[in-house]
Structure formats: structure tokens, C-alpha cells
Amino acid sequence: MIISISGVPGSGTTSVAKIIADKLGMNFYSMGNMRGKMALDRGMTIDELNALGEKEAFTDAEVDEYQKKLGQTEDNFVIEGRLSWHFIPHSYKVFLGCDVDEAARRIFSAKQSSTSERADEAPATTVEQVRSALATRMTSDDVRYKKYYGADYRDHSHYDLVVDTMETSSPEETSEIILKELERSRTLDERA
């Protein structure tokens, strides 16, 4: 079984994917972390890499080919990435939603309480700066994904399960909802 988790920035995709992978004893892969490393290796922020990606396909293609190959050669893992549902269509596809203002607040709060910021992100000293960066990132994602793949990751019809993380209290609670729905889905499949 492969579980792909997509969602808007700040919705908790990485945290939730890690929790689920741990609970199920599966490998965890983060496409966001791969792209962040790609940006750092080029002396860029993730937003600069995204802007370059609007003109140069390689910034997405490398990561996208990697996850496509994972879906063809491995099983029993959890993958976090905006287009993982697209490149691994046989996965159990989950989308996490969140209002951009709440997402910005969460990210800012996490940065304030953490001793290590993401090196691939430009520093932000206010929630509004984070919100602006999120809006820029989401716009760039939309441009690149439509240009290269004709895909809209925010279209809920692509997913087996959509969870609004504004309605959950923590990544743990979100994970429990997903695991319960996954089990229910597997039970229905076995009965069919």
C-alpha cells in the first residue's frame, strides 16, 4: 500500500505523513524536502527555485521522475508531495486543506518555537510575511503544475480523502482520521 499526502503549504502534510509512516512502520518520503535540498544545492531559496521552475522544467522534473519511479518500484510507503497523487495514481490519495491565514500563523508559530528554521526558506519576522510567501508559492505551484502536467493539485476530485485541517486540533488527530478512513476503505475493498 502506498499513501500519498498532498495539500496546501502549512496544512501539515509533512507532519501527518511522518506520523502515519511511523504508525504503519512504512518508509517516508518528502518531495518538499527534496526540492528544498535542490534549492540549497543551487544557492537558492525554495521560492527562487519555484520562480526558475516557471521557465525551466528541470526544477520539477527531477523530483517528479523520482516519485514516479518510487511508485513503480516500491510498495508500503508514505509520500508527501503536492503532485504525488498524480505520479502515483494507484496510491491512496489524501489532500489536506487549510485556510492560508491559518497556514501562515501555523508556519510562523513553528518558526518561532523551533531552533532550526528551514534553510531553503527566506526568513520571516511577521505572520504577514509568511502569508505573502505562501501566496507566492501557491501561485508558482499552480503555474508550474498546469504548464508541465495540466494538473490542479487543489481539485478535490483527485483524492480518496480530503481533510480540512482547520477542523482538527493537531497533526496526530488528522493522522487518526486518515488511518480510520484508510481502514474503512480497505474493509470495503475486501468485501467487494
Side-chain angles (χ1 to χ4, degrees), residues 1 7 13 22 48 59 70 79 82 85 87 93 99 115 119 121 125-126 130 134 139 147-148 154 158 163 169 191:
M1 170 184 24
T13 56
D22 185 55
E48 291 167 336
T59 67
L70 272 175
I79 187 166
R82 301 235 207 299
W85 60 270
F87 293 105
K93 298 172 281 299
D99 172 78
T115 55
E121 292 182 345
T125 57
T126 67
V130 174
L134 287 180
T139 298
K147 179 179 181 177
Y148 299 125
R154 290 189 262 180
H158 299 302
V163 180
S169 63
R191 290 181 186 163

Side-chain angles (χ1 to χ4, degrees), residues 147-168:
K147 179 179 181 177
Y148 299 125
Y149 307 114
D152 178 359
Y153 80 98
R154 290 189 262 180
D155 179 350
H156 293 177
S157 69
H158 299 302
Y159 302 95
D160 298 302
L161 177 64
V162 175
V163 180
D164 182 351
T165 64
M166 297 280 293
E167 297 175 4
T168 60

Side-chain angles (χ1 to χ4, degrees), residues 24 34 47-48 50 56 59 63 78 81 85 103-104 107 109 116 118 133 135 154 166 169 176 179 189-190:
L24 295 177
M34 279 187 71
D47 295 321
E48 291 167 336
N50 288 345
E56 302 286 337
T59 67
V63 171
V78 180
W85 60 270
I107 292 169
S109 178
S116 62
R118 278 187 49 176
R154 290 189 262 180
M166 297 280 293
S169 63
E176 285 304 316
L179 289 169
D189 288 346
E190 289 171 3

Side-chain angles (χ1 to χ4, degrees), residues 110-131:
K111 287 179 182 241
Q112 298 303 303
S113 64
S114 175
T115 55
S116 62
E117 286 201 34
R118 278 187 49 176
D120 64 315
E121 292 182 345
T125 57
T126 67
V127 172
E128 187 50 44
Q129 286 176 331
V130 174
R131 189 193 188 292

Side-chain angles (χ1 to χ4, degrees), residues 42-132:
R42 289 169 173 75
M44 307 172 98
T45 67
I46 190 66
D47 295 321
E48 291 167 336
L49 182 73
N50 288 345
L52 177 62
E54 292 176 29
K55 298 174 183 72
E56 302 286 337
F58 81 89
T59 67
D60 285 281
E62 186 178 316
V63 171
D64 296 340
E65 284 303 313
Y66 175 79
Q67 62 186 323
K68 187 177 184 180
K69 185 175 180 182
L70 272 175
Q72 295 168 344
T73 60
E74 286 191 35
D75 198 6
N76 297 317
F77 64 87
V78 180
I79 187 166
E80 169 271 323
R82 301 235 207 299
L83 289 182
S84 297
W85 60 270
H86 178 76
F87 293 105
I88 311 175
H90 58 285
S91 64
Y92 183 80
K93 298 172 281 299
V94 178
F95 179 85
L96 302 183
C98 187
D99 172 78
V100 71
D101 292 323
E102 174 62 15
R105 187 198 63 71
R106 289 176 183 178
I107 292 169
F108 183 75
S109 178
K111 287 179 182 241
Q112 298 303 303
S113 64
S114 175
T115 55
S116 62
E117 286 201 34
R118 278 187 49 176
D120 64 315
E121 292 182 345
T125 57
T126 67
V127 172
E128 187 50 44
Q129 286 176 331
V130 174
R131 189 193 188 292
S132 177

